[in-house]
Amino acid sequence: LAMISCCARHICAGCEFANALREIEEGLKPTCPFCRLPAPYEDDETWEVNMKRRAEADDPAALQWMGISCQEKGDYNGAFEFWTRAAELGDSQSHYQLSVMYHGGHGVEMDEKKGMHHLEEAAIGGDIVARVVLGVLEQGNGRFERAEKHFTIAANLGCEDAINKLRHLQLRGFMSYKDLNTVINTHQAALDAMKSPQREAGEANLRRAAREGGYDS
């Protein structure tokens, strides 16, 4: 997924490629596929200005990005403030980032209870990494049935790592082969549902651009 800074929306490679192809075929000027404003030239300065503008409007995605920017600069207080605001607005990734801060004592006083709260909120909000981490924690505590449930939810959302962890549970006798096979089939169906000719073409174009330093029209 890529983020477009003018409106802080995420777009997959396939949709971005399809929109660009449509504009070329119809002779249109490049615009944001969401807000239809002229597509910004995404240099670092423009990106940061747009993100700050969206953050000031309490856009959760922009707040989450600003938190990452602060963290990369070593400003943990700033990161905490941005992620807290985004989490209050329901951003699952910010909940996950706060859980990491509290569990590791990065920029805040270590607090396992608060860390678990944000980790669980992140998982409930659909953050796959948080869901897998919960499964790992449950497995480490010997609660294999609960670990299986967490890994299954993540696998059904298309997470390959969760499938590998479920295979490990099955090999250790904590999950039946029948249940594992059911999850694998659901996992594959989720992956198939995310496929499209546009996405495959977009991803191929991105890989080509990475090798050659340019984009095909």
Side-chain angles (χ1 to χ4, degrees), residues 41-62:
Y41 177 70
E42 299 284 32
D43 58 21
D44 292 342
E45 184 177 351
T46 302
W47 179 275
E48 188 164 352
V49 168
N50 284 337
M51 285 292 104
K52 286 181 178 178
R53 177 175 58 82
R54 294 303 308 159
E56 289 171 358
D58 279 339
D59 185 304

Side-chain angles (χ1 to χ4, degrees), residues 102-118:
Y102 278 118
H103 276 125
H106 303 302
V108 296
E109 185 176 347
M110 189 178 295
D111 190 319
E112 291 294 324
K113 185 176 180 180
K114 289 182 178 179
M116 281 302 300
H117 164 74
H118 286 292

Side-chain angles (χ1 to χ4, degrees), residues 17 201-217:
F17 181 75
E203 291 175 348
N205 206 50
L206 287 175
R207 290 192 295 270
R208 190 179 303 112
R211 292 194 304 268
E212 301 174 0
Y215 294 86
D216 289 345
S217 58

